[in-house]
């Protein structure tokens, strides 16, 4: 019996490792595909329809992101509630939670659709005569299709697969949709179709995700019933999750809304192009976050705090290392890339080094908190931290608005620095004190060490003269910089293992 128990635990450990590997790899592939595809369309849109149209499409997407708040935190609460029944193989409990989630998703979907129609009326009044009013109203309705599909069709599958550590399935389906969408949109633009037709077909392409997800889930999960007796109590933290979602959406989507209100659509287009590059960087780092919440959620359900501390410490070290490396590369290579990428975008000023530097600062601060933020979600501390998230949103909106009025559209990034600095410090302290019951000094020392190393490395490499006339040369420089930044870290690790852990180094 004891041997059987050990074998079962070993099998579960191997399965967990395999799922984590698939999750990280699938996320990396998805983010790489999303980044490559994401760079294809903006030059085509700006070159064909102008910067105002590119700014309009991007700003509408951010307004619609605000409307998605009517989801009311159901997804996050349902994911957290599903950890235990999935771990215990409780089919009835699983179905009851999913049924409750579906009910809320349907109600929220109806409200979301109504608000999209309201936005279609108001948005043309906001942008004035910068673009055709009828066209802007139709664009709101078209872009709202994808959001409505998330509520009525896709949300329930996303909740189940996320909680069950099957994020790699979502990533694979999303990657397929991104590639299909980019190919179809590029061909339609080249053939002379209007922007409304292009975005409408793109929305329909994204709807195809429902077919793939429904097929996989119905085949994988037996006795699945989305209409069982709903367990409303299981998603009782949805209001607390909503507060976190409000904070997140305000912080991450307010820049374009503020720029649209106080600046111009051309400014929005410039901001969007830089944001697209750094979103790709953040998505790359997100590959090391997505899927980890369910893994740590399972650890915390088993009440193994010591193991959680040990694994999280190693994970945090790895994440900070990757973050430092990625953002050092971004700082060194962003302006050479922008000069190549925007060479044919001449109706607005796209070469802005200060804007790039501020994006780097905001990105570093934002990602320093991601391991801790993931752990908060894993243990379900939504209610305990909701007001902290709300405070971040208030700081962001107030500071961003004031700085935008004073400095122009780059002011939204000054506001981001203020809010991220507050929330990053807060999350580091909260996770160590209240979840890991650990010293915050360990996390701070890691950050200080990696900050010192990467800043010194960037200062050295920054003084090397470069000439980058093509994308091929840019890729070569990226490879060289990447190796030069990693070599000292590798040497330091070898020295540490050899001289401080000789048994580990000499182990066969």
């Amino acid at each position: 019996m004891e041997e059987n128990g050990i074998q079962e635990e070993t099998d579960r450990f191997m399965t967990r490792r395999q799922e984590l590997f698939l999750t990280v790899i699938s996320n990396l592939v998805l983010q790489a595909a999303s980044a490559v595809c994401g760079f294809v369309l903006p030059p085509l849109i700006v070159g064909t329809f102008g910067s105002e149209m590119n700014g309009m499409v991007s700003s509408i997407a951010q307004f619609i992101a605000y409307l998605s708040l009517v989801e009311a935190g159901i997804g996050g609460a349902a994911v957290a509630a599903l950890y235990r029944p999935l771990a215990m193989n409780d089919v009835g409990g699983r179905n009851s939670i999913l049924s409750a989630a579906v009910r809320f998703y349907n109600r929220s979907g109806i409200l979301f659709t109504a608000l999209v129609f309201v936005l279609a009326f108001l948005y043309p009044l906001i942008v004035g005569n910068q673009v055709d009013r009828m066209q802007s109203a139709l664009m709101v309705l078209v872009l709202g299709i994808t959001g409505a599909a998330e509520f009525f069709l896709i949300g329930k599958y996303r909740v189940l697969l996320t909680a069950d550590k099957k994020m790699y399935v979502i990533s694979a389906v999303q990657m397929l949709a991104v590639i299909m969408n980019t190919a179809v949109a590029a061909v339609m633009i080249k053939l002379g179709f209007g922007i409304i037709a292009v975005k409408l077909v793109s929305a329909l392409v994204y709807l195809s995700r429902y077919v793939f997800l429904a097929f996989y889930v119905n085949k994988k999960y037996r006795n699945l019933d989305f209409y069982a007796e709903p367990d409303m109590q299981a998603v009782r933290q949805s209001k607390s999750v909503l507060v976190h979602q409000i904070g997140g959406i305000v912080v991450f989507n307010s820049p374009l809304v503020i720029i649209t209100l106080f600046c111009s659509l051309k400014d929005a287009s410039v901001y969007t192009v830089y944001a697209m590059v750094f979103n790709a960087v953040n998505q790359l780092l997100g590959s090391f976050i997505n899927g980890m919440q369910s893994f740590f959620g399972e650890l915390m359900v088993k009440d193994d705090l010591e193991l959680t501390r040990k694994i999280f410490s190693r994970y945090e070290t790895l994440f900070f290392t990757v973050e430092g490396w990625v953002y050092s590369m971004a700082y060194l290579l962003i302006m050479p890339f922008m000069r190549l990428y925007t060479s044919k975008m001449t109706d607005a000023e796209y070469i802005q080094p200060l804007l790039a530097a501020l994006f780097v600062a905001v990105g570093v601060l934002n990602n320093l908190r991601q391991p801790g933020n993931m752990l908060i979600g894993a243990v379900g501390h939504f209610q305990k931290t909701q007001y902290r998230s709300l405070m971040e949103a208030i700081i962001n909106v107030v500071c961003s608005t004031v700085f935008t009025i004073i400095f122009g559209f780059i002011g939204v990034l000054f506001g981001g620095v203020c809010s991220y600095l507050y929330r990053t410090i807060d999350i580091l302290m909260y996770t160590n004190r209240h979840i890991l019951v650990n010293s915050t000094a360990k996390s701070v020392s890691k950050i200080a060490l990696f900050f010192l190393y990467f800043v010194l490395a960037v200062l050295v490499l920054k003084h090397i003269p470069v000439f980058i006339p093509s994308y091929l040369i840019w890729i070569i420089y990226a490879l060289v910089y990447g190796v030069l930044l990693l070599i000292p870290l590798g040497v330091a690790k070898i020295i540490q293992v050899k001289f401080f852990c000789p048994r580990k180094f000499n182990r066969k």
Side-chain angles (χ1 to χ4, degrees), residues 373-410:
N373 202 36
M374 174 273 298
L375 197 60
I376 289 174
V379 298
H381 282 200
F382 301 114
Q383 186 173 5
K384 295 179 179 179
T385 58
Q386 59 183 339
Y387 296 111
R388 301 162 185 259
S389 181
L390 191 58
M391 178 60 69
E392 179 191 14
I394 294 172
I395 293 172
N396 185 275
V397 171
V398 172
C399 292
S400 294
T401 302
V402 171
F403 287 136
T404 299
I405 293 173
I406 297 173
F407 300 110
F409 75 97
I410 65 171

Side-chain angles (χ1 to χ4, degrees), residues 84 112 294 441 450 482:
R84 185 171 294 277
F112 174 85
S294 58
F450 286 123

Side-chain angles (χ1 to χ4, degrees), residues 12-60:
R12 281 196 294 269
F13 176 75
M14 295 303 295
T15 301
R16 188 184 301 125
R17 287 187 60 182
Q18 184 180 20
E19 288 174 337
L20 281 174
F21 176 77
L22 287 173
T23 297
V24 172
I25 295 300
S26 63
N27 270 293
L28 284 171
V29 175
L30 169 62
Q31 305 315 332
S34 298
V36 172
C37 292
F39 292 133
V40 172
L41 293 182
L44 292 175
I45 294 175
V46 173
T48 305
F49 306 108
S51 289
E52 288 92 348
M53 192 61 65
N54 186 51
M56 182 192 76
V57 171
S58 300
S59 66
I60 289 175

Side-chain angles (χ1 to χ4, degrees), residues 45 50-68 119-120 122-128 130-132 135-137 139-141 143-144 195 199 249 252-273 275 279:
I45 294 175
S51 289
E52 288 92 348
M53 192 61 65
N54 186 51
M56 182 192 76
V57 171
S58 300
S59 66
I60 289 175
Q62 303 310 309
F63 276 100
I64 288 178
Y66 276 108
L67 300 187
S68 67
L119 180 62
L122 294 177
Y123 186 81
L125 303 178
I126 295 173
V127 298
Q130 296 183 70
V131 292
D132 180 76
Q135 194 173 40
S136 62
M139 184 62 72
V140 172
L141 297 177
L143 295 182
I195 188 66
K199 290 299 178 180
I249 287 181
F252 293 115
N253 296 290
S254 63
L256 268 178
V257 173
I258 292 173
I259 291 171
T260 302
L261 294 174
F262 294 99
C263 302
S264 68
L265 290 179
K266 281 191 176 181
D267 291 332
S269 180
V270 174
Y271 178 91
T272 298
V273 170
N279 282 342

Side-chain angles (χ1 to χ4, degrees), residues 223 379 470 490 493:
N223 302 318
V379 298
S470 66
K493 184 63 178 178

Side-chain angles (χ1 to χ4, degrees), residues 161-320:
L161 293 172
T162 299
D164 201 26
K165 302 183 289 297
K166 298 291 189 301
M167 281 292 294
Y168 54 87
V169 177
I170 299 174
S171 297
V173 172
Q174 181 71 12
M175 181 180 65
L176 180 61
V178 166
I179 294 173
M180 290 171 57
N181 168 63
T182 303
V184 171
V187 170
M188 290 185 68
I189 292 174
K190 289 291 186 180
L191 292 176
F193 284 88
I195 188 66
I196 298 295
V198 171
K199 290 299 178 180
L200 177 59
V201 173
S202 294
L204 296 177
V205 169
Y206 274 117
L207 283 179
S208 65
R209 292 177 298 161
Y210 168 73
V211 178
F212 293 101
L213 290 175
F215 175 79
Y216 177 85
V217 168
N218 289 317
K219 184 177 180 180
K220 176 71 176 178
Y221 297 90
R222 295 182 177 180
N223 302 318
L224 191 63
D225 184 6
F226 290 109
Y227 301 98
E229 185 67 26
D231 182 2
M232 298 300 187
Q233 187 67 17
V235 292
R236 63 187 181 277
Q237 286 207 84
S238 61
K239 292 183 180 179
S240 300
V241 177
L242 172 60
V243 174
H244 283 266
Q245 288 182 337
I246 291 174
I249 287 181
V250 168
V251 168
F252 293 115
N253 296 290
S254 63
L256 268 178
V257 173
I258 292 173
I259 291 171
T260 302
L261 294 174
F262 294 99
C263 302
S264 68
L265 290 179
K266 281 191 176 181
D267 291 332
S269 180
V270 174
Y271 178 91
T272 298
V273 170
Y274 280 84
M276 174 192 64
V277 175
F278 285 95
N279 282 342
V281 175
N282 290 329
Q283 287 170 355
L284 174 64
L285 289 171
S287 302
F288 295 89
I289 291 289
N290 295 333
M292 296 301 297
Q293 180 172 314
S294 58
F295 172 74
F296 280 101
E298 182 180 347
L299 281 179
M300 296 303 290
V301 164
K302 296 180 177 179
D303 296 324
D304 195 337
L305 183 59
E306 188 60 36
L307 180 60
T308 302
R309 282 200 201 107
K310 184 177 180 180
I311 295 177
F312 183 80
S313 178
R314 293 179 179 178
Y315 169 71
E316 187 181 54
T317 302
L318 173 63
F319 186 85
F320 288 159

